[in-house]
Amino acid sequence: MADIAAELSGIVGAEYLLAGDAIGEDYAHDEALSSEPVKPAFVARPGNAQQVAQLLKAASELGVPVTARGSGSGMSGAARPRENGLLISFERMSAILEIDTENHVAVVQPGVSLEDLDAELAKHGLVYPVYPGELSASVGGNVGTNAGGMRAIKYGVTRNNVLGLEAALPTGELIRTGGKFVKTSTGYDLTQLIIGSEGTLALATEAILKVQPRMPHQGTVLAPFVDLDEVARAVPKVVSSGVGPLILEYIDGLTMGAITYRAQLQLGVPDEVREKSHAYLVVQLESRSADRLEEDVAEVGELLAGLGAMDVYVLDGSAANKLIDAREKAFWAAKEAGADDIIDTVIPRASLPQFMERVRAIAQENNTFVIGCGHAGDGNVHLAVLQKDHEVRDRVLHDLFEAGINLGGAISGEHGIGRKHTERFLALTDPAKVDLMRRIKTAFDPAGILNPGVLFD
Amino acid sequence: MADIAAELSGIVGAEYLLAGDAIGEDYAHDEALSSEPVKPAFVARPGNAQQVAQLLKAASELGVPVTARGSGSGMSGAARPRENGLLISFERMSAILEIDTENHVAVVQPGVSLEDLDAELAKHGLVYPVYPGELSASVGGNVGTNAGGMRAIKYGVTRNNVLGLEAALPTGELIRTGGKFVKTSTGYDLTQLIIGSEGTLALATEAILKVQPRMPHQGTVLAPFVDLDEVARAVPKVVSSGVGPLILEYIDGLTMGAITYRAQLQLGVPDEVREKSHAYLVVQLESRSADRLEEDVAEVGELLAGLGAMDVYVLDGSAANKLIDAREKAFWAAKEAGADDIIDTVIPRASLPQFMERVRAIAQENNTFVIGCGHAGDGNVHLAVLQKDHEVRDRVLHDLFEAGINLGGAISGEHGIGRKHTERFLALTDPAKVDLMRRIKTAFDPAGILNPGVLFD
């Protein structure tokens, strides 16, 4: 171990290699619930891409497992280290290298937080539109999990907004993929392959992000419906209208209660409506023109009223921000409420009612409490599972995932598989696909050092 | 050979396997210029996905090289067969399986043409927004090359609009990737890896396409500028305005002459402007509202006038359609004008003037005629190269690609590498990346049967 420490600290410098008691608690976990923290043998904090590549090369030679960490805000344990392993923390590589207003891209290091990036882009009237709930999340972590968020209905997810990467391979090379352009057909798209690979193929050391003009005006409509079926029926009509919503979320009645209570939020929904409504639809619009926004908001309001909404509330800016913010923090509300697990199955959005019917049945069969909200426009359902018994909870998660897959969905829309769901992923995925993915993994990482236990056992 | 024929015809049925003289000329080429046609040993026309998978399995066992063919409209020779090989033509697998208006997707077989798909989607008020010039192109071919086209500035390219695939692996399995949802973080994104792989990894047997509401109103602004520098300076301003152009094309003076002459097109640009203008910018906008479109068109017109346009012409619907159509057919104009090669290098769009300066220098040094037009918003430059001498032309292409790469670009934005540019691709690409791609290729295709000579030698 002393030899390994010497080699690693020779790469990053002694002050940037931690071992033993010098390793703080924070490095031992991400935000995956019901996961035991694990302190790694080493934490390296590289200062540049070359050091990352050298660390990987050394780890490959020494057979040391490597886990990458951005801000540690992941939900599936993909940043939870191995006891005998090396954690590479990107905290020192957090620079915004360039905001290129001619090509509409930002070039950043992986450790930069979405919050810092947004503050800088705002100065240029630009926005990087990927908004997962947690703004302390790092771009590198977002690349790892292919993070999504509420604006995916309009702008897509991480993979739709990252144009290129610099990445360190486990074999020690640094490669550049993609570039400051939105299209290329020049060999395999390594950018897209690395995005969402949860630190198992290569580590991004730089990212070229597509940025957009920042729209100055936003408007939000809140519509309570009797149930989720009605919400699901309304969603395609909103999309078909061509109004191009920025956000299209559903929140079930219980979750709405929890998040508004937690945020002390008054939305003006009268008691008699609240009592009868089991599902809310939140539609946020944006526009470069205040007049057009007002027209669009009115149009959506009328459309929803015609589609069975019990009422339609146009939220003022402050209430809207608070609601969106509260929705973004639904995870924390669930955590405080004692959630033992959070999942984010994705299904074709029209199958939302059928899926939720299965969810209710699975919850009932297993005497488990399951509540949620989700990205109605994307079919991405976030569910909090409250069940202390480990075995029962395992069965519930398995059955929920299976229900999603049977409806043409997938285990995770944006959180990733991580250490948490790898076993279920392997059990529920076509073996031909798993084998192929394993061969791709080996093509990148012949020594198998990158995040063992994630995606493969 | 008789044994091979027997095995293959046992899979697809004797009437769907062609050999020898029964193989028509069309199967011997795509639209890559200056490429000798090559008749394959066999043409199979499978009727379903299982047959495709069985053909690949048999080919792997027999060591027969396999080339896939959609409509044969590719520009880089990726559908040009091998003399001793099997060509799989998807002409019988051209069904539109489903238009799902709830999830906003279309499920199609790979042989369907963009034209047929568009006609069907139009009935539902929907559009699949990928519009490469050639509407006889098949969806499967588009998947192979990651086809782009003029609307990429707004809607992205093929990879941004394909949500899932069914694909046959060379090892004989059929797998399903992605689904009727826009986001997933559940293992490696095989959909994205197969898209743009030019038939070297797996063959798509079904595709799930994201479709959009079809906008009823379109408006087009034509602005002549003194030179390309001015055009390139105007482009980011149009993007920053937030007007969200559907099309943002530049056409150089010579190409404009050629395509308008060919189409007998009167655009109302007076002689004195035409004589002084070396570059045109075409901006097309779309909207769901006629009033908004009119406002947007006026705004873009004013913006361009303020950015140095010599004049601004709002084209009526008929003239606009003819111009866009003529631009789409620029390839045919170039072919008729005697072009010996067409390339489509992509660069960061702000580097367009620098790139074109290098293009002029390379053309002059080599006594070669190079003209073009391109996707100004995407930095994707289409150049026709007129040079009969094979060696000189090779050098010119190499130098043009190298110039693009040196500016942070890539060899091809949307045409692909194909058989035509593989040698140059290998010479100009980081060997670490080529090696990695080769290992990925082997992970899919251990017997090396899929399109040998494309991407790798």
Side-chain angles (χ1 to χ4, degrees):
Chain A
M1 288 301 263
D3 286 358
I4 296 177
E7 175 140 6
L8 300 177
S9 79
I11 294 169
V12 291
E15 68 270 47
Y16 298 120
L17 189 80
L18 308 175
D21 290 344
I23 296 175
E25 283 302 327
D26 247 17
Y27 292 120
H29 64 89
D30 59 10
E31 293 296 342
L33 296 178
S34 302
S35 295
E36 286 300 309
V38 178
K39 276 206 184 181
F42 308 102
V43 174
R45 293 175 293 171
N48 59 51
Q50 285 71 26
Q51 290 181 1
V52 178
Q54 286 167 35
L55 287 171
L56 295 190
K57 188 160 197 281
S60 277
E61 285 162 6
L62 299 163
V64 175
V66 175
T67 303
R69 180 189 166 91
S71 310
S73 58
M75 313 285 277
S76 302
R80 193 149 63 94
R82 303 281 289 216
E83 206 175 355
N84 60 340
L86 165 68
L87 183 76
I88 298 184
S89 168
F90 282 93
E91 64 206 80
R92 290 175 63 220
M93 290 175 66
S94 61
I96 297 167
L97 300 172
E98 186 187 5
I99 291 179
D100 174 345
T101 56
E102 301 290 297
N103 291 304
H104 281 92
V105 299
V107 184
V108 304
Q109 288 189 317
V112 70
S113 72
L114 293 175
E115 196 162 20
D116 289 351
L117 176 61
D118 192 58
E120 198 54 39
L121 285 169
K123 297 178 193 165
H124 299 270
L126 297 170
V127 68
Y128 173 64
V130 180
Y131 261 66
E134 187 55 47
L135 295 184
S136 72
S138 71
V139 167
N142 277 204
V143 166
T145 56
N146 186 26
M150 287 197 271
R151 300 183 184 180
I153 179 79
K154 178 160 181 178
Y155 290 107
V157 296
T158 301
R159 73 168 65 262
N160 307 117
N161 292 282
V162 174
L163 303 179
L165 295 172
E166 179 190 58
L169 302 181
T171 38
E173 299 99 338
L174 272 180
I175 60 170
R176 286 195 170 269
T177 70
K180 290 180 170 181
F181 39 77
V182 297
K183 48 155 73 159
T184 174
S185 184
T186 307
Y188 305 146
D189 196 325
L190 301 174
T191 312
Q192 293 296 328
L193 187 52
I194 293 169
I195 293 172
S197 66
E198 305 192 48
T200 65
L201 295 180
L203 301 188
T205 52
E206 200 178 295
I208 302 174
L209 310 177
K210 185 176 170 184
V211 297
Q212 308 278 347
R214 200 176 185 97
M215 296 289 156
H217 307 286
Q218 254 133 41
T220 307
V221 176
L222 173 68
F225 284 81
V226 169
D227 60 25
L228 193 58
D229 291 39
E230 300 270 314
V231 168
R233 265 195 287 276
V235 164
K237 309 290 185 210
V238 176
V239 174
S240 295
S241 73
V243 73
L246 174 64
I247 287 176
L248 205 49
E249 292 286 305
Y250 88 87
I251 305 177
D252 74 19
L254 278 173
T255 305
M256 183 62 106
I259 67 177
T260 52
Y261 175 78
R262 187 175 184 274
Q264 292 291 306
L265 189 53
Q266 301 297 334
L267 296 171
V269 183
D271 287 352
E272 66 272 20
V273 174
R274 246 185 306 163
E275 279 158 21
K276 285 184 202 144
S277 164
H278 295 290
Y280 293 79
L281 183 63
V282 183
V283 185
Q284 191 167 73
L285 304 171
E286 62 171 8
S287 179
R288 62 200 187 95
S289 138
D291 291 348
R292 288 187 186 184
L293 179 70
E294 204 174 307
E295 283 170 26
D296 289 349
V297 164
E299 183 183 331
V300 167
E302 278 167 41
L303 185 62
L304 295 178
L307 290 165
M310 297 168 68
D311 208 340
V312 170
Y313 306 92
V314 177
L315 301 183
D316 69 39
S318 151
N321 286 345
K322 281 183 190 156
L323 175 62
I324 298 296
D325 190 55
R327 163 62 191 89
E328 277 175 346
K329 295 193 166 56
F331 165 69
W332 300 106
K335 195 174 171 182
E336 281 170 22
D340 301 291
D341 255 313
I342 301 276
I343 66 166
D344 83 310
T345 302
V346 64
I347 45 163
R349 68 172 173 233
S351 306
L352 202 53
Q354 286 158 276
F355 180 64
M356 291 309 292
E357 203 173 299
R358 280 292 297 138
V359 170
R360 279 188 293 271
I362 293 165
Q364 208 161 12
E365 282 159 27
N366 291 282
N367 203 14
T368 297
F369 197 55
V370 180
I371 57 168
C373 50
H375 310 307
D378 305 331
N380 187 202
V381 186
H382 292 242
L383 296 173
V385 177
L386 289 85
Q387 172 56 263
K388 295 290 164 215
D389 185 293
H390 186 272
E391 260 178 54
V392 178
R393 199 168 70 234
D394 263 5
R395 193 170 58 229
V396 168
L397 293 189
H398 176 278
D399 291 355
L400 291 173
F401 290 151
E402 192 175 50
I405 291 169
N406 287 343
L407 288 166
I411 291 176
S412 169
E414 55 192 18
H415 292 174
I417 299 300
R419 217 166 291 290
K420 207 163 173 46
H421 302 306
T422 288
E423 208 176 307
R424 285 180 282 267
F425 164 72
L426 293 172
L428 288 164
T429 306
D430 173 5
K433 266 170 74 172
V434 172
D435 285 352
L436 178 59
M437 288 185 195
R438 211 186 287 271
R439 296 196 299 270
I440 293 168
K441 160 79 173 170
T442 305
F444 275 81
D445 182 17
I449 55 153
L450 277 182
N451 234 359
V454 171
L455 296 182
F456 310 104
D457 44 19
Chain B
M1 290 299 264
D3 287 358
I4 296 178
E7 176 141 7
L8 300 178
S9 79
I11 295 168
V12 292
E15 68 271 46
Y16 300 118
L17 188 80
L18 307 176
D21 290 344
I23 297 174
E25 285 301 327
D26 247 18
Y27 293 120
H29 63 88
D30 59 10
E31 292 297 342
L33 296 179
S34 303
S35 296
E36 284 300 309
V38 178
K39 277 207 184 179
F42 308 102
V43 174
R45 294 174 293 170
N48 58 50
Q50 287 69 27
Q51 290 181 2
V52 177
Q54 286 167 34
L55 286 171
L56 294 191
K57 189 160 195 282
S60 278
E61 285 161 7
L62 299 162
V64 175
V66 175
T67 303
R69 179 189 166 92
S71 309
S73 58
M75 313 285 276
S76 302
R80 194 150 62 95
R82 302 280 290 213
E83 205 175 356
N84 60 340
L86 165 66
L87 183 76
I88 298 184
S89 169
F90 283 94
E91 64 207 81
R92 290 176 63 220
M93 291 175 66
S94 60
I96 296 167
L97 300 172
E98 187 187 4
I99 291 179
D100 174 344
T101 56
E102 301 290 297
N103 291 305
H104 282 92
V105 299
V107 184
V108 304
Q109 289 188 316
V112 69
S113 72
L114 294 175
E115 196 162 20
D116 289 351
L117 176 62
D118 192 58
E120 198 54 39
L121 285 170
K123 296 177 193 165
H124 299 269
L126 296 170
V127 68
Y128 174 64
V130 180
Y131 260 65
E134 187 55 47
L135 294 183
S136 72
S138 71
V139 168
N142 277 204
V143 166
T145 56
N146 185 27
M150 287 197 271
R151 300 182 184 181
I153 180 80
K154 177 161 182 180
Y155 290 108
V157 297
T158 301
R159 73 168 66 260
N160 308 116
N161 293 282
V162 175
L163 302 179
L165 296 172
E166 180 191 57
L169 302 181
T171 38
E173 300 99 336
L174 272 179
I175 60 169
R176 287 196 170 268
T177 70
K180 289 180 170 181
F181 40 75
V182 296
K183 47 156 72 160
T184 174
S185 182
T186 307
Y188 305 147
D189 196 324
L190 301 173
T191 312
Q192 293 295 329
L193 186 53
I194 293 169
I195 294 171
S197 67
E198 304 190 48
T200 65
L201 295 180
L203 301 188
T205 52
E206 199 177 298
I208 302 175
L209 311 177
K210 184 177 172 184
V211 297
Q212 308 278 347
R214 200 175 183 96
M215 296 289 156
H217 307 286
Q218 254 133 42
T220 307
V221 176
L222 173 68
F225 284 81
V226 170
D227 58 25
L228 192 59
D229 291 40
E230 300 270 314
V231 168
R233 265 194 289 274
V235 164
K237 309 289 186 209
V238 176
V239 174
S240 295
S241 73
V243 75
L246 175 64
I247 286 177
L248 205 49
E249 292 286 304
Y250 88 86
I251 304 177
D252 74 19
L254 278 173
T255 305
M256 182 61 107
I259 67 178
T260 52
Y261 174 78
R262 187 174 184 274
Q264 292 291 307
L265 189 53
Q266 301 297 334
L267 296 170
V269 183
D271 287 352
E272 65 272 20
V273 174
R274 246 185 305 162
E275 279 158 22
K276 285 183 200 144
S277 164
H278 295 291
Y280 293 77
L281 183 63
V282 182
V283 184
Q284 190 166 74
L285 305 170
E286 62 172 8
S287 180
R288 62 200 186 93
S289 138
D291 291 349
R292 288 187 185 185
L293 179 70
E294 204 173 308
E295 283 169 28
D296 289 349
V297 165
E299 183 183 332
V300 166
E302 278 167 40
L303 184 63
L304 295 178
L307 289 165
M310 296 166 69
D311 208 340
V312 171
Y313 306 92
V314 177
L315 301 184
D316 69 39
S318 150
N321 287 344
K322 281 183 191 156
L323 175 62
I324 297 297
D325 190 56
R327 164 62 192 88
E328 278 175 346
K329 295 194 166 54
F331 165 70
W332 301 105
K335 195 174 171 182
E336 281 170 21
D340 301 290
D341 256 313
I342 301 275
I343 66 165
D344 83 310
T345 303
V346 63
I347 45 164
R349 68 171 174 235
S351 306
L352 201 55
Q354 286 159 277
F355 180 65
M356 290 310 292
E357 202 173 301
R358 279 294 295 137
V359 170
R360 279 189 292 272
I362 294 165
Q364 206 160 13
E365 283 160 26
N366 292 282
N367 204 13
T368 296
F369 198 55
V370 181
I371 57 167
C373 50
H375 310 307
D378 306 331
N380 187 202
V381 186
H382 291 242
L383 296 172
V385 177
L386 289 86
Q387 171 57 263
K388 295 289 164 217
D389 184 294
H390 187 271
E391 260 178 54
V392 177
R393 200 168 69 234
D394 264 5
R395 192 169 61 228
V396 167
L397 294 189
H398 176 278
D399 291 355
L400 291 173
F401 290 151
E402 191 174 51
I405 290 170
N406 288 343
L407 288 165
I411 291 175
S412 169
E414 57 192 16
H415 291 175
I417 299 300
R419 218 166 291 288
K420 208 161 172 45
H421 302 305
T422 288
E423 207 176 308
R424 284 179 282 267
F425 164 72
L426 293 173
L428 289 163
T429 305
D430 173 5
K433 268 170 73 173
V434 172
D435 284 352
L436 178 59
M437 289 185 193
R438 210 186 289 270
R439 295 197 299 270
I440 294 169
K441 160 79 172 169
T442 305
F444 276 81
D445 182 16
I449 56 153
L450 277 184
N451 233 358
V454 171
L455 295 181
F456 311 104
D457 44 19

